[in-house]
Amino acid sequence: MIYSILFHLEGGFIIQLTIRQTNILEIIQTLGPITGSKIAEKLSLSRAALRSDLAILTMSKLVNAKPKVGYYFTGRDLQKLNTMSFDSILIADTLSLPIVVKENTTVYDAIVTLFTEDVGTIFVVSEDNFLEGAISRKDLLKAAMGGKNNNELPVNIIMTRMPKIILTTPEESVLSAAQKLLFHQVDALPVVKTLKVGETTKYQVIGRFTKTNITRLFVQLAES
Ligand code: ADP
């Protein structure tokens, strides 16, 4: 089965095959050369419905088309490409160090941390180092514009707090964590280790996963 294969195309794109594209590829591999109409017949679809899928497979050079002959498999190394899949890479392989401050840190000091650590999101932890919240660039900007005394205002007043924080773990796939970033419209996720403290679940922040990690992976995959 060849689900979820990522392809690095010549132009620098990375695409992920859909299940239907994977099915088409399997048909071409086993029956090719085969015409578009025959593939459509096998999948009970119209020829037009397959056009874009066949274009993707041809662009990715997995499949070639010869007039009057049909589509055939080029023999591109699927095994090798499969290892480049975002869903086979885990957060543990790519996480960055977390930048955390204690909940009583002032907004002013958090802004300084933002600059000195060169990050966009800071995670806030309790005195005993468990995750309490997150503060973004815009949270700090808003506080700075608010005219309050940022030398005294603690970050826990302005942070987004648990249980609203979207988390990831070292075992999660990069694809699934990236989907969380998009879906929840945030720039960073804390990578956590879950601990049971009595009846409650607590989270230790052991890393961060951000859009920068995805960009780095994208470039590494494109260059590999
Ligand atoms: P910015 O606000 O600088 O655009 P984000 O889009 O990451 O940065 O943050 C948007 C809001 O979501 C902010 O109020 C921030 O406190 C909050 N936030 C940031 N990271 C998370 C997260 N992992 N889970 C939940 N909320 C978050």
Side-chain angles (χ1 to χ4, degrees), residues 120-121 123 134-139 142 158-160 164-167 181 184-190 211:
T121 308
F123 298 111
I135 353 166
S136 71
R137 263 182 286 239
K138 277 192 213 125
D139 292 334
K142 218 188 299 168
I158 66 156
M159 70 186 184
T160 301
K164 281 197 190 149
I165 304 300
I166 313 300
L167 312 167
L181 287 178
H184 297 282
Q185 299 184 357
V186 291
D187 293 345
L189 302 178
K211 291 180 174 173

Side-chain angles (χ1 to χ4, degrees), residues 2 5 7 17 21-35 39 54 57-58 60-66 69-81:
I2 350 161
I5 305 166
F7 288 99
L17 292 194
Q21 287 158 1
T22 308
N23 288 340
I24 298 172
L25 186 60
E26 279 175 345
I27 291 174
I28 297 174
Q29 270 184 294
T30 45
L31 302 174
I34 178 169
T35 62
I39 300 171
L54 286 167
L57 292 174
T58 318
S60 60
K61 298 207 170 87
L62 283 163
V63 158
N64 243 339
K66 269 201 194 136
V69 176
Y71 293 90
Y72 61 93
F73 179 52
T74 57
R76 244 187 127 169
D77 189 350
L78 292 175
Q79 224 42 44
K80 192 163 156 234
L81 289 168

Side-chain angles (χ1 to χ4, degrees), residues 4-59:
S4 309
I5 305 166
L6 274 174
F7 288 99
H8 166 217
L9 303 183
E10 246 57 64
F13 298 101
I14 288 188
I15 58 156
Q16 182 162 22
L17 292 194
T18 62
I19 291 177
R20 191 207 272 177
Q21 287 158 1
T22 308
N23 288 340
I24 298 172
L25 186 60
E26 279 175 345
I27 291 174
I28 297 174
Q29 270 184 294
T30 45
L31 302 174
I34 178 169
T35 62
S37 323
K38 283 254 165 58
I39 300 171
E41 208 179 289
K42 292 239 159 271
L43 294 170
S44 308
L45 291 167
S46 71
R47 174 77 182 81
L50 285 189
R51 194 156 293 133
S52 59
D53 292 324
L54 286 167
I56 297 268
L57 292 174
T58 318
M59 271 190 328

Side-chain angles (χ1 to χ4, degrees), residues 69-125:
V69 176
Y71 293 90
Y72 61 93
F73 179 52
T74 57
R76 244 187 127 169
D77 189 350
L78 292 175
Q79 224 42 44
K80 192 163 156 234
L81 289 168
N82 209 7
T83 61
M84 292 174 20
S85 163
F86 270 119
D87 52 8
S88 66
I89 303 170
L90 301 182
I91 291 294
D93 303 324
T94 179
L95 56 81
S96 302
L97 281 177
I99 303 301
V100 298
V101 295
K102 291 271 156 65
E103 54 196 333
N104 56 2
T105 304
T106 64
V107 165
Y108 181 90
D109 285 341
I111 294 173
V112 172
T113 305
L114 200 75
F115 281 99
T116 52
E117 300 290 347
D118 195 16
V119 288
T121 308
I122 300 173
F123 298 111
V124 182
V125 295

